[in-house]
Amino acid sequence: MAQLRLICFDFDGTLAYMHPTHWATYAEAARDAGIELSEAALASPGVDRAWDPWLTPQGVAHPDASTSAAAFREVRVAIAMQRMRDAGAQVDDATLRAAAERAATLEADASRFRLFDDARPALARIAAAGTRALIISNHLWELPEIVDALDLGSMFAGVVTSARAGYRKPHPEIYRDALREAGVEAHEALMVGDSITADVYGAQDAGLHAVFLDRDHRTDLPEGVRTIHSLLEVPLTWP
Ligand SMILES: [Mg+2]
C-alpha cells in the first residue's frame, strides 16, 4: 500500500451543494427579470447543451473564454440565455440578457453554497495524515472566493476551476493542470467525486486513481468503479 500524496475533490455534489438548487436560482433570476420559467423546465435534460460549442473528443475545451473574469462571465451569460430560451422563455433579447446577467450574479453568490456535513471532518482527517487536498471542479471563475467564504481555503493546497483552467472535466488537461500546480505525479494522486464520467473516468484517463462518491447508494453502477458512500471513507493509501 502506497501513501497517496494528494487527494483531489470535486466541489458540487461532493464537498458542497447549492441551496436553493442551481435551477431554482436560474428560475429566481428569470422571475426577477419578469420571466416565468419553472425549475422543472430549466432542469429538463434537453436544456443542458450549453457547452456543446466547445466540445472536443476529449471533453470541453474553452481556453479562449478563460482569459479573464470578464471574458468568462460573458460566456456564463450566453449560456444562461441559451438555457432560458431552451426552457421556453419567449422574450426579447434585452429582457433575456437581463435575466441571464442576474443568473450569472446569483450563481456566484457564496452564500448559496452549503457544505455537506462530512466535508470538514473528512478534510481534517486527511490533513492529520499529512496528505494534501486540492479541488478540481467544473465551476465558476469565483470558486476560490466561494471556498474561502465557506472557511475552507486553508484546507486546500489549491483550487482548480474549469473557468480559469479553460478545460472542463473529463478533459485530461484540467487534471494535468492540477497535478502541475501541486507538483505531484498522477499515480500519487486520487480523485474523489460524484460524477463517474467527469471525476472517475476523466481522472483515470489522466493517470490518477479515482473513487466515486455514491451518497445515494445507487444500484446501477458500472463494474470496476471503486465506490465510497461518505467523504470519511476516502482512502489515504492505494494498493
Ligand atoms: Mg459534482
Side-chain angles (χ1 to χ4, degrees):
M1 302 280 268
Q3 176 90 21
L4 291 160
R5 289 185 62 205
L6 184 71
I7 311 287
C8 306
F9 290 90
D10 166 54
F11 189 71
D12 278 327
T14 297
L15 292 168
Y17 57 95
M18 270 189 95
H19 179 83
T21 66
H22 199 204
W23 299 126
T25 298
Y26 261 59
E28 179 184 334
R31 201 177 318 119
D32 289 349
I35 308 168
E36 275 310 319
L37 289 178
S38 72
E39 188 179 344
L42 284 158
S44 71
V47 170
D48 215 358
R49 54 192 179 90
W51 294 104
D52 284 3
W54 291 275
L55 192 58
T56 74
Q58 287 188 294
V60 171
H62 57 65
D64 50 323
S66 295
T67 51
S68 69
F72 192 74
R73 182 180 165 93
E74 207 40 54
V75 169
R76 295 298 309 183
V77 169
I79 283 174
M81 288 176 76
Q82 184 66 53
R83 282 173 169 163
M84 288 177 184
R85 268 214 205 292
D86 287 351
Q90 292 178 326
V91 293
D92 59 90
D93 274 359
T95 305
L96 193 66
R97 183 164 180 102
E101 293 265 8
R102 180 82 180 132
T105 298
L106 292 182
E107 70 183 356
D109 176 0
S111 72
R112 288 177 183 255
F113 291 88
R114 304 269 191 282
L115 281 182
F116 285 106
D117 287 344
D118 54 2
R120 219 178 279 282
L123 291 166
R125 169 178 166 264
I126 290 164
T131 307
R132 287 186 296 157
L134 191 84
I135 291 175
I136 306 178
S137 175
N138 289 343
H139 218 281
L140 303 173
W141 192 275
E142 298 84 355
L143 182 60
E145 288 78 31
I146 293 169
V147 170
D148 280 344
L150 290 165
D151 199 23
L152 281 187
S154 65
M155 307 296 280
F156 292 102
V159 177
V160 176
T161 173
S162 59
R164 298 184 189 220
Y167 298 87
R168 291 174 67 81
K169 299 177 293 184
H171 199 296
E173 192 53 35
I174 188 170
Y175 286 103
R176 292 188 203 116
D177 194 38
L179 293 170
R180 272 194 299 271
E181 178 169 329
V184 168
E185 299 288 326
H187 71 271
E188 300 172 311
L190 171 76
M191 179 68 194
V192 182
D194 71 319
S195 163
I196 289 176
T197 302
D199 299 319
V200 177
Y201 295 158
Q204 288 173 339
D205 282 348
L208 290 80
H209 308 294
V211 292
F212 174 62
L213 175 62
D214 177 23
R215 292 188 182 280
D216 302 325
H217 293 257
R218 283 169 47 171
T219 54
D220 59 340
L221 291 176
E223 271 188 48
V225 173
R226 186 159 167 188
T227 298
I228 58 173
H229 299 293
S230 154
L231 291 176
L232 290 164
E233 298 167 20
V234 168
L236 299 176
T237 59
W238 199 266

